């Protein structure tokens, strides 16, 4: 009040307002997580900071840990990437920790291996030892990704082969039923009709000429064969021949 009365503006400690705002956001994030409203955290935080580049490192770290714990790291992909690409944030002491957190909790779980490799190689936040460890982790993840793809392709091929075998088996069963029906229907016909059907079959398959004189012995043998088949099929059980 005295400063205002003297006409001089009231002085405030540097960073006090931003620190209070950051602390309130941290409390709000924890409250939303406890109420199982964690999906609203990112949109709620961005209401106060408008753009991802303005997020405090503490708030950004807490959001990454929360969404990673809830198995939805993809919600933080674009936000953290935009924050890391901002030149003003690259000079902060928390930049290295957030870059490593983004690599381990967001990029690798999502399978964004190319983006992870670009971050490790192009960023000066990683030391030589950290860069080698990160590249080794990326290489291992890439091998696992290829193994999973090959395994899924093999499983798909096995499923296709299994479906083909099932269809082929169904076709065989259908042909078997059709054959049984045709045989039963054929033997249920009278003898003359059966003989006529056999002659027609010979004409179609073997191009047999029944009017030729050389075909008479064959027709006689075919008639005797049908007589024997008919007697064997329709003979009563009591009249079956018994051999000593």
């Amino acid at each position: 009040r005295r400063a205002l009365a003297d006409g001089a503006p009231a002085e405030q400690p540097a960073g006090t307002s931003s620190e209070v705002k950051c602390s309130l956001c941290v409390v709000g994030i924890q409250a939303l997580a406890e109420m199982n409203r964690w999906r609203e955290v990112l949109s709620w935080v961005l209401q106060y900071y408008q753009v991802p580049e303005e997020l405090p490192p503490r708030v950004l770290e807490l959001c990454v840990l929360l969404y990673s714990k809830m198995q939805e790291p993809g919600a933080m992909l674009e936000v953290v990437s935009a924050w890391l690409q901002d030149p003003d944030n690259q000079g902060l002491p928390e930049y290295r920790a957030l870059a490593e957190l983004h690599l381990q909790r967001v990029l690798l779980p999502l399978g964004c291996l190319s983006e992870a490799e670009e971050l490790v190689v192009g960023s000066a936040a990683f030391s030589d030892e950290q860069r080698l460890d990160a590249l080794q982790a990326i290489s291992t993840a890439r091998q696992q990704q290829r193994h999973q793809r090959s395994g899924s392709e093999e499983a798909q091929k096995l499923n296709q082969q299994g479906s083909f075998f099932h269809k082929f088996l169904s076709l065989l069963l259908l042909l078997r039923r059709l054959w049984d029906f045709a045989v039963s229907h054929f033997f249920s016909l009278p003898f003359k009709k059966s003989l006529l059907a056999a002659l027609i079959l010979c004409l179609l398959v073997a191009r047999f000429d029944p009017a030729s004189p050389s075909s008479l012995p064959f027709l006689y043998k075919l008639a005797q064969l049908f007589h024997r088949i008919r007697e064997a099929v329709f003979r009563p059980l009591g009249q079956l021949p018994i051999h000593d």
Side-chain angles (χ1 to χ4, degrees):
R1 292 178 181 176
R2 184 178 301 174
L4 292 175
D6 296 338
E11 295 182 358
Q12 294 181 355
T16 300
S17 177
S18 60
E19 291 178 359
V20 172
K21 184 178 180 180
C22 176
S23 300
L24 291 177
C25 284
V26 170
V27 174
I29 291 172
Q30 294 174 348
L32 289 173
E34 291 177 358
M35 291 186 296
N36 198 22
R37 296 171 57 186
W38 56 270
R39 291 183 176 86
E40 306 174 14
V41 167
L42 186 59
S43 60
W44 178 76
V45 168
L46 290 177
Q47 289 179 359
Y48 295 96
Y49 290 96
Q50 284 79 39
V51 291
E53 293 83 355
E54 299 295 331
L55 290 174
R58 186 181 177 187
V59 173
L60 184 62
E61 179 184 6
L62 190 60
C63 290
V64 172
L65 293 175
L66 175 62
Y67 280 90
S68 175
K69 182 180 179 180
M70 303 309 296
Q71 303 297 324
E72 288 194 12
M76 298 298 302
L77 179 60
E78 296 181 358
V79 175
V80 185
S81 298
W83 192 92
L84 292 175
Q85 293 174 2
D86 187 77
D88 296 334
N89 295 329
Q90 294 178 2
L92 297 176
E94 299 89 353
Y95 183 84
R96 175 179 296 181
L98 285 173
E100 295 178 359
L101 188 68
H102 182 54
L103 175 67
Q104 298 294 335
R105 296 298 186 96
V106 180
L107 294 179
L108 291 181
L110 292 176
C112 301
L113 304 183
S114 299
E115 292 82 352
E117 197 169 14
E118 291 178 1
L119 175 64
V120 174
V121 175
S123 177
F126 296 90
S127 62
D128 293 338
E129 184 178 357
Q130 291 175 340
R131 186 174 289 107
L132 289 176
D133 294 339
L135 292 176
Q136 182 64 32
I138 294 172
S139 177
T140 303
R142 184 173 282 113
Q143 291 178 0
Q144 294 178 354
Q145 194 177 69
R146 292 174 181 174
H147 181 70
Q148 291 177 355
R149 288 179 180 176
S150 62
S152 62
E153 290 177 356
E154 291 178 358
Q156 186 177 3
K157 290 181 180 178
L158 290 176
N159 292 332
Q160 292 178 355
Q161 292 177 358
S163 61
F164 174 76
F165 178 76
H166 180 70
K167 293 179 180 179
F168 181 71
L169 183 60
S170 301
L171 180 61
L172 290 179
L173 292 176
L174 179 62
L175 293 176
R176 175 64 182 274
R177 292 174 183 175
L178 292 175
W179 172 256
D180 293 340
F181 174 77
V183 170
S184 60
H185 182 69
F186 179 77
F187 283 108
S188 64
L189 294 174
F191 174 73
K192 293 182 179 180
K193 293 183 178 180
S194 300
L195 183 59
L196 180 60
L199 291 175
I200 294 175
L201 183 62
C202 291
L203 289 174
L204 294 177
V205 177
R207 296 181 179 179
F208 180 74
D209 187 8
S212 177
S214 60
S215 61
L216 293 178
F218 176 77
L219 293 176
Y220 178 73
K221 292 181 181 180
L222 184 62
Q224 288 183 344
L225 178 62
F226 270 92
H227 274 297
R228 293 175 184 175
I229 294 175
R230 186 176 180 84
E231 291 177 358
V233 172
F234 296 101
R235 180 183 298 172
L237 294 177
Q239 298 180 3
L240 289 176
I242 297 177
H243 302 280
D244 190 0

